[in-house]
Amino acid sequence: MPSASDLAAADVPAPDRARTALRAARVVGLLALVGAVLAFPGLAPDPFILSVGVVIMSYAVLATSWNFVGGFTGYISLGHASYAGLGGYATALLVLHTGLNPWVALLLGGAAVAAIAVPVGIASLRVRGASFVIVSLALVLILLLVFQSWSEVTGGSNGLRLPRPFGEDVPRPEQHARFFYLHGVLLAVALLCWWAIDRSRFGTGLKAIREDEDKAQALGVPTFRYKLIAFVLSALFTALGGGLYALWFGFLDPIFQFSILTGSYMVLMSLLGGLRSLFGPALGAVIVGYAMEYFKNEYGDTQIHLVALGLLLGAVVLFMPDGIIPALGSLVNRFRPRTTSIREVTQAELGERRAGDEQEVSR
């Protein structure tokens, strides 16, 4: 004889049970992901692997930060390395020339870059498509020339060296572990902000801009203001990621800080994982970051890692244009119970309801 719990479960429609199971799976997956991140420094077999984890986490921060613009508005920026570089130099110069606490300098540097991004966004967001890409690239090249030439302040081609924020007495492996967790906290804040925007009226307006900006403007969406806010938020988190990486690495070089490849990596990571998904850029950062470090470790200073990344980008565009996470989501949807706007009722269920109604009337 069926129990009460079995009867209660039978009363729940199959689509509702599927949604509940999916939510539970997401919660379990999120907890497992958090647990893996927290456990990684303790499980890393050596300091090199731990340093690779820091690099991958830094890429995840940058790609997620880029996704505020690329994922919401559809504007493809190849010049986001400019904000990461500015964040790194702003943090370093504040520490070296004012003696500020490194963490205060990091926050002030990020705020300064966000302030700089306002006029840059006002100028660049007036164009679209390929014109916006060219403007973003031009900014990186201009900053590269400026910071190379301004050697009295930036160190020029000789670079700029930063003191360790935790002191010289802390071993390098412990430094790696601490910065891994700090990058994880920054990534969590960026993901939470992206998630909140995605479910807000502001996020709906940004998605309307992505789908058809002219129609969105005709419907009353303040398109330019929305784009500018997303652009400044993206620059802020990118600058914080660049500043945190600079504090960990301890050395700044204009050629590395303002590299066009860095912006290209952000785009590739987001495309690979899923441009419009929450965890897509972070997943892409894990894959691309690990692949780059593997090829660099195996083949040294050769450019084979660039060839591999080019092939990876081509494969993504050809076979998974929406990214890994959307592709997996589409695969899961094929096995979900199909839902209809009006729930179908069988003849047996109708008979049971009528019998129940007759009993109520007889009472």
Side-chain angles (χ1 to χ4, degrees):
M1 187 173 182
S3 62
S5 59
D6 294 334
L7 292 175
D11 292 337
V12 179
D16 293 341
R17 291 199 299 271
R19 292 191 200 100
T20 303
L22 183 60
R23 292 193 191 100
R26 287 175 177 172
V27 171
V28 172
L30 181 59
L31 292 176
L33 179 62
V34 173
V37 170
L38 293 175
F40 176 78
L43 298 176
D46 55 61
F48 172 73
I49 298 298
L50 187 53
S51 68
V52 171
V54 178
V55 172
I56 291 175
M57 191 66 77
S58 175
Y59 277 133
V61 171
L62 295 180
T64 301
S65 304
W66 181 91
N67 204 33
F68 280 87
V69 171
F72 279 129
T73 68
Y75 277 60
I76 304 299
S77 170
L78 292 178
H80 255 54
S82 56
Y83 306 112
L86 284 173
Y89 271 102
T91 303
L93 293 174
L94 285 172
V95 171
L96 294 174
H97 294 291
T98 67
L100 276 176
N101 179 281
W103 313 115
V104 176
L106 174 65
L107 297 176
L108 289 179
V113 174
I116 294 172
V118 174
V120 173
I122 291 174
S124 62
L125 291 171
R126 297 185 184 278
V127 296
R128 308 180 192 175
S131 300
F132 178 78
V133 175
I134 293 171
V135 170
S136 66
L137 287 174
L139 178 62
V140 178
L141 296 176
I142 291 171
L143 290 174
L144 172 60
L145 294 175
V146 169
F147 277 75
Q148 274 189 313
S149 303
W150 200 11
S151 57
E152 297 83 3
V153 177
T154 65
S157 299
N158 294 323
L160 201 65
R161 191 167 295 280
L162 271 164
R164 292 183 179 181
F166 293 111
E168 297 295 331
D169 56 335
V170 178
R172 195 61 177 165
E174 181 65 24
Q175 297 262 359
H176 293 335
R178 294 183 184 184
F179 274 101
F180 180 86
Y181 288 130
L182 287 171
H183 278 92
V185 171
L186 181 56
L187 176 61
V189 173
L191 289 171
L192 183 61
C193 186
W194 201 96
W195 177 84
I197 291 175
D198 186 46
R199 282 154 178 76
S200 67
R201 182 178 179 180
F202 172 54
T204 303
L206 290 175
K207 294 172 193 174
I209 293 171
R210 181 185 67 202
E211 299 303 325
D212 194 320
E213 187 169 345
D214 293 326
K215 287 183 179 179
Q217 189 169 6
L219 292 171
V221 177
T223 55
F224 187 78
R225 187 171 79 237
Y226 277 22
K227 288 188 299 183
L228 183 60
I229 294 172
F231 185 82
V232 172
L233 275 174
S234 179
L236 171 63
F237 282 110
T238 305
L240 291 173
L244 191 58
Y245 184 86
L247 289 174
W248 170 69
F249 196 69
F251 183 78
L252 297 177
D253 178 9
I255 295 178
F256 175 76
Q257 295 299 124
F258 299 103
S259 172
I260 295 176
L261 287 176
T262 303
S264 303
Y265 293 155
M266 296 183 203
V267 178
L268 174 58
M269 292 168 189
S270 300
L271 288 174
L272 178 60
L275 190 64
R276 303 172 184 179
S277 61
L278 176 62
F279 293 104
L283 175 61
V286 173
I287 298 172
V288 174
Y290 178 80
M292 285 196 300
E293 294 302 316
Y294 173 81
F295 282 111
K296 288 179 182 178
N297 185 54
E298 290 292 324
Y299 302 102
D301 294 331
T302 63
Q303 303 301 312
I304 191 170
H305 66 282
L306 297 179
V307 176
L309 291 178
L311 294 174
L312 179 60
L313 178 59
V316 170
V317 172
L318 287 174
F319 302 108
M320 288 185 297
D322 293 328
I324 294 176
I325 290 181
L328 292 176
S330 300
L331 183 63
V332 170
N333 287 335
R334 293 181 183 179
F335 299 97
R336 280 191 194 175
R338 296 186 178 273
T339 59
T340 58
S341 58
I342 301 175
R343 182 172 174 266
E344 297 178 357
V345 181
T346 64
Q347 185 176 3
E349 289 177 330
L350 284 175
E352 292 176 359
R353 291 182 184 179
R354 288 173 182 171
D357 292 340
E358 291 175 355
Q359 291 179 359
E360 290 291 334
V361 171
S362 62
R363 289 176 184 175

